[in-house]
Amino acid sequence: MMDAEAQMQFLYTLRSKGVTDARTLTAMEKVDRGLFVKGLFAGRVYEDMPLPISCGQTISQPSVVGLMTQALNVQPRDKVLEVGTGSGYQAAVLSQLARRVYTVDRHARLVREAQVAFDAMGLVNITAFTADGSYGLPDQAPFDRIIVTAAAEDPPGPLLAQLKTGGIMVVPVGQSDAVQSLIKVTRTESGFDYDELRAVRFVPLLEGIGQE
């Protein structure tokens, strides 16, 4: 667990990178990133950098998790879909803010490992699935908020369709090997509004289920 000094430094770094929303900072203070990184890189878990995890994936740097969470503007009654469970860290942060979080990943191993961390934290409002996240979760739609932690060339149509009117989706958009933009999509009565937030770099959003 983080000691008090590391915690202060962690929060200071988040603020300095533009994570200023009080609810987001409180949520991130409650979730120990150390539970989500094992092995070789565990010693760097509180630094503001992405780290490798299983299945060739990464855990995003905390400031990007914070900025995406802040942009999502999750409310206490919201039902949230996360596409790309990865380590489970982002879902755990969202679980502090939302009524329920559904998280999907194409790698069964990542979902299993994330579930262990959720259980260790006693997070009962997260449901994790192994599924092709590019199709969303039609059975649970519509969602108040959708967050995508892998880059698509365009915001995926099935996910846009599963967003409630007034709902928000945050998604990295762009070619996987070039600079991507973090986009905030708001569904209105008449269509979708798009806001470009910042440049980011994420793994590509892939279709299908990953091989074990």
Side-chain angles (χ1 to χ4, degrees), residues 155-171:
L159 299 184
L160 290 172
Q162 290 172 34
L163 195 59
K164 276 186 187 170
T165 301
I168 295 169
M169 176 160 79
V170 174
V171 54

PDB file of all heavy atoms in Angstrom, residues 155-171:
ATOM      1  N   PRO A 155     -14.879   6.282 -33.598  1.00  0.00           N
ATOM      2  CA  PRO A 155     -15.679   5.761 -32.480  1.00  0.00           C
ATOM      3  C   PRO A 155     -16.579   4.625 -32.988  1.00  0.00           C
ATOM      4  O   PRO A 155     -17.325   4.814 -33.951  1.00  0.00           O
ATOM      5  CB  PRO A 155     -16.509   6.984 -32.053  1.00  0.00           C
ATOM      6  CG  PRO A 155     -15.675   8.164 -32.454  1.00  0.00           C
ATOM      7  CD  PRO A 155     -15.017   7.745 -33.748  1.00  0.00           C
ATOM      8  N   PRO A 156     -16.483   3.413 -32.403  1.00  0.00           N
ATOM      9  CA  PRO A 156     -17.208   2.262 -32.945  1.00  0.00           C
ATOM     10  C   PRO A 156     -18.729   2.455 -32.942  1.00  0.00           C
ATOM     11  O   PRO A 156     -19.316   2.809 -31.911  1.00  0.00           O
ATOM     12  CB  PRO A 156     -16.804   1.117 -32.010  1.00  0.00           C
ATOM     13  CG  PRO A 156     -15.508   1.571 -31.398  1.00  0.00           C
ATOM     14  CD  PRO A 156     -15.631   3.056 -31.278  1.00  0.00           C
ATOM     15  N   GLY A 157     -19.350   2.175 -34.092  1.00  0.00           N
ATOM     16  CA  GLY A 157     -20.796   2.362 -34.255  1.00  0.00           C
ATOM     17  C   GLY A 157     -21.638   1.626 -33.229  1.00  0.00           C
ATOM     18  O   GLY A 157     -22.579   2.202 -32.658  1.00  0.00           O
ATOM     19  N   PRO A 158     -21.335   0.330 -32.947  1.00  0.00           N
ATOM     20  CA  PRO A 158     -22.148  -0.395 -31.956  1.00  0.00           C
ATOM     21  C   PRO A 158     -22.101   0.265 -30.573  1.00  0.00           C
ATOM     22  O   PRO A 158     -23.079   0.225 -29.831  1.00  0.00           O
ATOM     23  CB  PRO A 158     -21.509  -1.785 -31.921  1.00  0.00           C
ATOM     24  CG  PRO A 158     -20.829  -1.935 -33.235  1.00  0.00           C
ATOM     25  CD  PRO A 158     -20.350  -0.564 -33.600  1.00  0.00           C
ATOM     26  N   LEU A 159     -20.960   0.859 -30.241  1.00  0.00           N
ATOM     27  CA  LEU A 159     -20.845   1.520 -28.927  1.00  0.00           C
ATOM     28  C   LEU A 159     -21.631   2.826 -28.914  1.00  0.00           C
ATOM     29  O   LEU A 159     -22.321   3.131 -27.938  1.00  0.00           O
ATOM     30  CB  LEU A 159     -19.372   1.774 -28.590  1.00  0.00           C
ATOM     31  CG  LEU A 159     -18.486   0.535 -28.496  1.00  0.00           C
ATOM     32  CD1 LEU A 159     -17.076   0.921 -28.060  1.00  0.00           C
ATOM     33  CD2 LEU A 159     -19.061  -0.501 -27.530  1.00  0.00           C
ATOM     34  N   LEU A 160     -21.538   3.597 -29.982  1.00  0.00           N
ATOM     35  CA  LEU A 160     -22.332   4.834 -30.076  1.00  0.00           C
ATOM     36  C   LEU A 160     -23.819   4.513 -29.921  1.00  0.00           C
ATOM     37  O   LEU A 160     -24.552   5.229 -29.239  1.00  0.00           O
ATOM     38  CB  LEU A 160     -22.085   5.532 -31.416  1.00  0.00           C
ATOM     39  CG  LEU A 160     -20.703   6.159 -31.614  1.00  0.00           C
ATOM     40  CD1 LEU A 160     -20.547   6.638 -33.054  1.00  0.00           C
ATOM     41  CD2 LEU A 160     -20.464   7.327 -30.653  1.00  0.00           C
ATOM     42  N   ALA A 161     -24.244   3.398 -30.540  1.00  0.00           N
ATOM     43  CA  ALA A 161     -25.663   3.015 -30.498  1.00  0.00           C
ATOM     44  C   ALA A 161     -26.107   2.623 -29.085  1.00  0.00           C
ATOM     45  O   ALA A 161     -27.298   2.704 -28.765  1.00  0.00           O
ATOM     46  CB  ALA A 161     -25.911   1.859 -31.459  1.00  0.00           C
ATOM     47  N   GLN A 162     -25.155   2.212 -28.239  1.00  0.00           N
ATOM     48  CA  GLN A 162     -25.489   1.764 -26.876  1.00  0.00           C
ATOM     49  C   GLN A 162     -25.389   2.886 -25.842  1.00  0.00           C
ATOM     50  O   GLN A 162     -25.528   2.649 -24.641  1.00  0.00           O
ATOM     51  CB  GLN A 162     -24.593   0.580 -26.490  1.00  0.00           C
ATOM     52  CG  GLN A 162     -24.937  -0.676 -27.285  1.00  0.00           C
ATOM     53  CD  GLN A 162     -23.964  -1.815 -27.072  1.00  0.00           C
ATOM     54  OE1 GLN A 162     -23.427  -1.993 -25.974  1.00  0.00           O
ATOM     55  NE2 GLN A 162     -23.723  -2.602 -28.104  1.00  0.00           N
ATOM     56  N   LEU A 163     -25.164   4.106 -26.316  1.00  0.00           N
ATOM     57  CA  LEU A 163     -25.039   5.260 -25.422  1.00  0.00           C
ATOM     58  C   LEU A 163     -26.398   5.945 -25.278  1.00  0.00           C
ATOM     59  O   LEU A 163     -27.072   6.224 -26.269  1.00  0.00           O
ATOM     60  CB  LEU A 163     -24.022   6.236 -26.031  1.00  0.00           C
ATOM     61  CG  LEU A 163     -23.447   7.347 -25.166  1.00  0.00           C
ATOM     62  CD1 LEU A 163     -22.731   6.795 -23.936  1.00  0.00           C
ATOM     63  CD2 LEU A 163     -22.483   8.200 -26.001  1.00  0.00           C
ATOM     64  N   LYS A 164     -26.796   6.211 -24.038  1.00  0.00           N
ATOM     65  CA  LYS A 164     -28.047   6.928 -23.792  1.00  0.00           C
ATOM     66  C   LYS A 164     -27.985   8.351 -24.337  1.00  0.00           C
ATOM     67  O   LYS A 164     -26.900   8.945 -24.400  1.00  0.00           O
ATOM     68  CB  LYS A 164     -28.304   7.032 -22.277  1.00  0.00           C
ATOM     69  CG  LYS A 164     -28.972   5.838 -21.668  1.00  0.00           C
ATOM     70  CD  LYS A 164     -29.294   6.125 -20.208  1.00  0.00           C
ATOM     71  CE  LYS A 164     -29.815   4.858 -19.533  1.00  0.00           C
ATOM     72  NZ  LYS A 164     -29.912   5.024 -18.082  1.00  0.00           N
ATOM     73  N   THR A 165     -29.127   8.917 -24.651  1.00  0.00           N
ATOM     74  CA  THR A 165     -29.182  10.353 -24.959  1.00  0.00           C
ATOM     75  C   THR A 165     -28.722  11.117 -23.720  1.00  0.00           C
ATOM     76  O   THR A 165     -29.163  10.826 -22.609  1.00  0.00           O
ATOM     77  CB  THR A 165     -30.610  10.775 -25.343  1.00  0.00           C
ATOM     78  OG1 THR A 165     -31.015  10.002 -26.481  1.00  0.00           O
ATOM     79  CG2 THR A 165     -30.666  12.243 -25.703  1.00  0.00           C
ATOM     80  N   GLY A 166     -27.801  12.047 -23.918  1.00  0.00           N
ATOM     81  CA  GLY A 166     -27.191  12.753 -22.788  1.00  0.00           C
ATOM     82  C   GLY A 166     -25.967  12.033 -22.248  1.00  0.00           C
ATOM     83  O   GLY A 166     -25.259  12.554 -21.389  1.00  0.00           O
ATOM     84  N   GLY A 167     -25.711  10.825 -22.763  1.00  0.00           N
ATOM     85  CA  GLY A 167     -24.579  10.030 -22.300  1.00  0.00           C
ATOM     86  C   GLY A 167     -23.263  10.487 -22.909  1.00  0.00           C
ATOM     87  O   GLY A 167     -23.244  11.211 -23.912  1.00  0.00           O
ATOM     88  N   ILE A 168     -22.167  10.053 -22.297  1.00  0.00           N
ATOM     89  CA  ILE A 168     -20.819  10.458 -22.719  1.00  0.00           C
ATOM     90  C   ILE A 168     -19.981   9.213 -22.980  1.00  0.00           C
ATOM     91  O   ILE A 168     -20.007   8.257 -22.194  1.00  0.00           O
ATOM     92  CB  ILE A 168     -20.140  11.309 -21.632  1.00  0.00           C
ATOM     93  CG1 ILE A 168     -20.876  12.643 -21.439  1.00  0.00           C
ATOM     94  CG2 ILE A 168     -18.664  11.575 -21.969  1.00  0.00           C
ATOM     95  CD1 ILE A 168     -20.425  13.416 -20.205  1.00  0.00           C
ATOM     96  N   MET A 169     -19.229   9.248 -24.077  1.00  0.00           N
ATOM     97  CA  MET A 169     -18.232   8.207 -24.346  1.00  0.00           C
ATOM     98  C   MET A 169     -16.876   8.876 -24.504  1.00  0.00           C
ATOM     99  O   MET A 169     -16.763   9.911 -25.155  1.00  0.00           O
ATOM    100  CB  MET A 169     -18.570   7.427 -25.619  1.00  0.00           C
ATOM    101  CG  MET A 169     -17.512   6.403 -25.985  1.00  0.00           C
ATOM    102  SD  MET A 169     -18.108   5.102 -27.094  1.00  0.00           S
ATOM    103  CE  MET A 169     -18.076   5.933 -28.660  1.00  0.00           C
ATOM    104  N   VAL A 170     -15.849   8.284 -23.888  1.00  0.00           N
ATOM    105  CA  VAL A 170     -14.469   8.756 -24.052  1.00  0.00           C
ATOM    106  C   VAL A 170     -13.698   7.635 -24.740  1.00  0.00           C
ATOM    107  O   VAL A 170     -13.690   6.493 -24.265  1.00  0.00           O
ATOM    108  CB  VAL A 170     -13.841   9.126 -22.690  1.00  0.00           C
ATOM    109  CG1 VAL A 170     -12.370   9.480 -22.852  1.00  0.00           C
ATOM    110  CG2 VAL A 170     -14.595  10.307 -22.071  1.00  0.00           C
ATOM    111  N   VAL A 171     -13.056   7.971 -25.879  1.00  0.00           N
ATOM    112  CA  VAL A 171     -12.413   6.944 -26.706  1.00  0.00           C
ATOM    113  C   VAL A 171     -11.186   7.526 -27.401  1.00  0.00           C
ATOM    114  O   VAL A 171     -11.238   8.643 -27.913  1.00  0.00           O
ATOM    115  CB  VAL A 171     -13.435   6.376 -27.738  1.00  0.00           C
ATOM    116  CG1 VAL A 171     -14.089   7.477 -28.574  1.00  0.00           C
ATOM    117  CG2 VAL A 171     -12.799   5.324 -28.638  1.00  0.00           C
TER     118      VAL A 171
END
